[in-house]
Amino acid sequence: MSTTHQDGPRGSVRVIELPVVSDTRGDLTFVESRRHVPFDIARVYYLYNVPVDAERGGHAHLELQQVLFALSGSFRVSVDDGFETSQHWLRDPRKGLLIDRMIWREMDSFSQGAVCMVLASHPYDEADYIREHRAFLEKVREGAA
Ligand code: T46
Protein backbone atom coordinates (compact mmCIF):
# COMPACT_ATOMS: atom_id res chain seq x y z
CA MET A 1 0.00 0.00 0.00
CA SER A 2 1.23 3.47 -0.75
CA THR A 3 1.68 5.81 2.22
CA THR A 4 1.37 9.12 0.42
CA HIS A 5 0.79 12.01 2.80
CA GLN A 6 0.17 15.43 1.37
CA ASP A 7 0.10 18.38 3.77
CA GLY A 8 -0.92 21.97 3.27
CA PRO A 9 -4.09 23.75 2.24
CA ARG A 10 -5.03 21.05 -0.25
CA GLY A 11 -7.07 18.08 0.86
CA SER A 12 -4.90 15.25 2.10
CA VAL A 13 -4.87 11.46 1.90
CA ARG A 14 -3.07 9.22 4.35
CA VAL A 15 -3.03 5.72 5.71
CA ILE A 16 -4.34 5.13 9.23
CA GLU A 17 -3.22 2.04 11.09
CA LEU A 18 -5.61 0.63 13.69
CA PRO A 19 -4.71 -1.44 16.74
CA VAL A 20 -5.00 -5.20 16.61
CA VAL A 21 -5.42 -7.59 19.54
CA SER A 22 -4.47 -11.11 18.54
CA ASP A 23 -4.73 -14.38 20.41
CA THR A 24 -5.42 -18.00 19.58
CA ARG A 25 -9.06 -17.08 18.85
CA GLY A 26 -8.10 -14.69 16.07
CA ASP A 27 -7.62 -10.95 15.61
CA LEU A 28 -9.69 -8.04 16.94
CA THR A 29 -9.37 -4.49 15.59
CA PHE A 30 -11.21 -1.48 16.97
CA VAL A 31 -11.67 2.17 16.05
CA GLU A 32 -12.70 5.13 18.20
CA SER A 33 -13.72 8.64 17.13
CA ARG A 34 -11.04 11.31 17.63
CA ARG A 35 -8.57 8.67 18.79
CA HIS A 36 -7.95 6.65 15.65
CA VAL A 37 -9.83 8.82 13.17
CA PRO A 38 -9.66 12.64 13.36
CA PHE A 39 -13.43 13.21 13.44
CA ASP A 40 -16.58 12.07 15.21
CA ILE A 41 -17.97 9.12 13.28
CA ALA A 42 -21.48 10.08 12.15
CA ARG A 43 -22.13 7.26 9.67
CA VAL A 44 -20.87 3.83 8.73
CA TYR A 45 -21.66 2.18 5.40
CA TYR A 46 -20.22 -0.71 3.45
CA LEU A 47 -19.97 -1.85 -0.13
CA TYR A 48 -20.24 -5.55 -0.88
CA ASN A 49 -21.33 -7.86 -3.71
CA VAL A 50 -19.35 -5.50 -5.93
CA PRO A 51 -18.76 -6.98 -9.42
CA VAL A 52 -15.04 -7.32 -10.16
CA ASP A 53 -15.36 -4.98 -13.17
CA ALA A 54 -17.38 -2.32 -11.32
CA GLU A 55 -16.15 1.23 -10.82
CA ARG A 56 -17.43 3.19 -7.83
CA GLY A 57 -16.84 6.70 -6.58
CA GLY A 58 -16.13 9.29 -9.24
CA HIS A 59 -16.79 12.30 -7.05
CA ALA A 60 -15.41 14.56 -4.32
CA HIS A 61 -17.00 15.96 -1.18
CA LEU A 62 -17.23 19.56 -0.08
CA GLU A 63 -16.98 18.79 3.65
CA LEU A 64 -17.10 15.05 4.22
CA GLN A 65 -14.07 13.23 5.58
CA GLN A 66 -13.98 9.46 5.35
CA VAL A 67 -11.81 6.47 6.14
CA LEU A 68 -12.06 3.46 3.82
CA PHE A 69 -11.16 -0.07 4.88
CA ALA A 70 -11.03 -3.38 3.03
CA LEU A 71 -12.60 -5.61 5.68
CA SER A 72 -12.25 -8.51 3.27
CA GLY A 73 -10.56 -8.88 -0.11
CA SER A 74 -8.99 -5.91 -1.84
CA PHE A 75 -9.67 -2.97 -4.12
CA ARG A 76 -7.89 0.04 -5.56
CA VAL A 77 -8.58 3.67 -4.66
CA SER A 78 -7.35 6.39 -7.02
CA VAL A 79 -7.29 9.87 -5.51
CA ASP A 80 -6.76 13.32 -7.00
CA ASP A 81 -6.35 16.55 -5.03
CA GLY A 82 -6.65 18.64 -8.19
CA PHE A 83 -2.89 18.79 -8.65
CA GLU A 84 -1.52 15.32 -7.96
CA THR A 85 -2.90 11.82 -8.18
CA SER A 86 -2.01 8.65 -6.31
CA GLN A 87 -3.23 5.10 -6.11
CA HIS A 88 -3.71 3.00 -3.01
CA TRP A 89 -4.44 -0.70 -2.74
CA LEU A 90 -6.51 -1.56 0.31
CA ARG A 91 -6.20 -5.16 1.41
CA ASP A 92 -5.45 -5.10 5.16
CA PRO A 93 -8.43 -4.63 7.52
CA ARG A 94 -6.14 -2.87 10.03
CA LYS A 95 -5.18 -0.15 7.56
CA GLY A 96 -7.62 2.51 6.42
CA LEU A 97 -7.29 5.29 3.89
CA LEU A 98 -8.25 8.68 5.32
CA ILE A 99 -9.63 10.84 2.52
CA ASP A 100 -10.06 14.49 3.37
CA ARG A 101 -12.62 16.88 1.96
CA MET A 102 -12.08 18.04 -1.65
CA ILE A 103 -10.37 14.90 -2.88
CA TRP A 104 -11.65 13.23 -6.03
CA ARG A 105 -11.81 9.44 -5.55
CA GLU A 106 -12.43 6.47 -7.81
CA MET A 107 -12.53 2.82 -6.76
CA ASP A 108 -12.10 -0.26 -8.93
CA SER A 109 -10.44 -3.69 -9.21
CA PHE A 110 -12.57 -5.14 -6.42
CA SER A 111 -11.62 -8.72 -5.69
CA GLN A 112 -14.31 -11.39 -5.51
CA GLY A 113 -16.12 -11.02 -2.17
CA ALA A 114 -14.43 -7.74 -1.23
CA VAL A 115 -16.09 -5.71 1.52
CA CYS A 116 -15.34 -1.98 1.79
CA MET A 117 -16.34 -0.35 5.07
CA VAL A 118 -16.42 3.44 5.27
CA LEU A 119 -16.41 5.61 8.40
CA ALA A 120 -17.80 9.05 7.61
CA SER A 121 -17.73 12.38 9.44
CA HIS A 122 -21.27 13.42 8.43
CA PRO A 123 -24.64 11.87 7.61
CA TYR A 124 -25.44 11.28 3.95
CA ASP A 125 -26.09 14.53 2.06
CA GLU A 126 -26.25 14.56 -1.74
CA ALA A 127 -25.60 18.34 -1.67
CA ASP A 128 -22.10 17.61 -0.36
CA TYR A 129 -21.11 15.72 -3.55
CA ILE A 130 -19.22 17.19 -6.51
CA ARG A 131 -19.94 14.65 -9.23
CA GLU A 132 -18.29 16.42 -12.19
CA HIS A 133 -14.52 16.31 -12.39
CA ARG A 134 -14.31 19.62 -14.23
CA ALA A 135 -16.35 21.36 -11.51
CA PHE A 136 -14.07 19.76 -8.90
CA LEU A 137 -10.94 21.08 -10.61
CA GLU A 138 -12.41 24.57 -10.93
CA LYS A 139 -13.34 24.63 -7.25
CA VAL A 140 -9.97 23.31 -6.05
CA ARG A 141 -8.02 25.75 -8.18
CA GLU A 142 -10.12 28.75 -7.22
CA GLY A 143 -9.51 27.81 -3.55
CA ALA A 144 -5.77 27.58 -4.16
CA ALA A 145 -5.56 30.92 -5.99
C1 T46 B 1 -17.63 7.60 -1.31
C2 T46 B 1 -17.41 6.20 -1.76
C3 T46 B 1 -16.21 5.57 -1.15
C4 T46 B 1 -27.27 6.71 0.56
O1 T46 B 1 -28.50 6.80 0.49
N1 T46 B 1 -26.65 6.81 1.79
C5 T46 B 1 -25.30 6.69 1.94
O2 T46 B 1 -24.78 6.80 3.06
C6 T46 B 1 -24.51 6.47 0.77
C7 T46 B 1 -23.00 6.35 0.87
C8 T46 B 1 -25.14 6.36 -0.45
N2 T46 B 1 -26.49 6.48 -0.53
C9 T46 B 1 -27.14 6.32 -1.85
C10 T46 B 1 -26.81 7.43 -2.84
C11 T46 B 1 -26.91 6.70 -4.17
O3 T46 B 1 -28.26 6.73 -4.61
O4 T46 B 1 -26.67 5.11 -2.43
C12 T46 B 1 -26.55 5.26 -3.83
C13 T46 B 1 -25.16 4.86 -4.30
O5 T46 B 1 -24.20 5.85 -3.83
P1 T46 B 1 -22.91 6.25 -4.67
O6 T46 B 1 -23.16 6.09 -6.11
O7 T46 B 1 -22.45 7.59 -4.19
O8 T46 B 1 -21.89 5.11 -4.18
P2 T46 B 1 -20.31 5.05 -4.41
O9 T46 B 1 -19.86 3.70 -3.99
O10 T46 B 1 -19.95 5.49 -5.78
O11 T46 B 1 -19.71 6.14 -3.39
C14 T46 B 1 -19.79 5.87 -2.01
C15 T46 B 1 -20.09 7.18 -1.26
O12 T46 B 1 -21.31 7.75 -1.79
C16 T46 B 1 -18.98 8.17 -1.39
O13 T46 B 1 -19.16 9.19 -0.41
O14 T46 B 1 -16.67 8.31 -1.04
O15 T46 B 1 -18.56 5.34 -1.55
Side-chain angles (χ1 to χ4, degrees), residues 88-142:
H88 307 258
W89 281 95
L90 295 188
R91 55 170 67 90
D92 181 341
R94 292 169 304 178
K95 291 181 181 172
L97 190 66
L98 171 64
I99 303 182
D100 214 348
R101 60 183 291 276
M102 292 304 286
I103 297 283
W104 188 266
R105 83 287 316 267
E106 296 173 359
M107 301 148 70
D108 64 7
S109 302
F110 286 83
S111 66
Q112 191 81 41
V115 178
C116 167
M117 180 187 73
V118 183
L119 308 177
S121 62
H122 292 77
Y124 175 72
D125 177 8
E126 183 59 34
D128 190 63
Y129 284 73
I130 304 173
R131 292 196 183 270
E132 284 197 10
H133 193 252
R134 183 184 299 190
F136 163 72
L137 290 179
E138 281 172 9
K139 192 143 192 73
V140 156
R141 288 170 187 177
E142 98 198 3

Side-chain angles (χ1 to χ4, degrees), residues 18 29 31 41 43-48 66-72 75 90 93 95-97 107 110 114-120:
L18 296 180
T29 283
V31 54
I41 298 165
R43 177 168 50 115
V44 179
Y45 63 91
Y46 32 96
L47 310 173
Y48 53 103
Q66 304 195 98
V67 189
L68 279 58
F69 293 91
L71 290 193
S72 183
F75 56 91
L90 295 188
K95 291 181 181 172
L97 190 66
M107 301 148 70
F110 286 83
V115 178
C116 167
M117 180 187 73
V118 183
L119 308 177

Side-chain angles (χ1 to χ4, degrees), residues 21-108:
V21 184
S22 301
D23 62 31
T24 54
R25 300 168 298 168
D27 298 335
L28 182 154
T29 283
F30 56 96
V31 54
E32 297 178 9
S33 295
R34 302 257 171 215
R35 180 175 173 202
H36 304 111
V37 298
F39 51 78
D40 290 324
I41 298 165
R43 177 168 50 115
V44 179
Y45 63 91
Y46 32 96
L47 310 173
Y48 53 103
N49 292 336
V50 180
V52 294
D53 58 352
E55 296 174 1
R56 304 204 62 122
H59 52 253
H61 287 281
L62 292 166
E63 293 301 332
L64 191 71
Q65 293 177 282
Q66 304 195 98
V67 189
L68 279 58
F69 293 91
L71 290 193
S72 183
S74 61
F75 56 91
R76 179 172 61 179
V77 187
S78 302
V79 291
D80 173 4
D81 68 3
F83 299 88
E84 292 174 10
T85 61
S86 59
Q87 297 198 334
H88 307 258
W89 281 95
L90 295 188
R91 55 170 67 90
D92 181 341
R94 292 169 304 178
K95 291 181 181 172
L97 190 66
L98 171 64
I99 303 182
D100 214 348
R101 60 183 291 276
M102 292 304 286
I103 297 283
W104 188 266
R105 83 287 316 267
E106 296 173 359
M107 301 148 70
D108 64 7

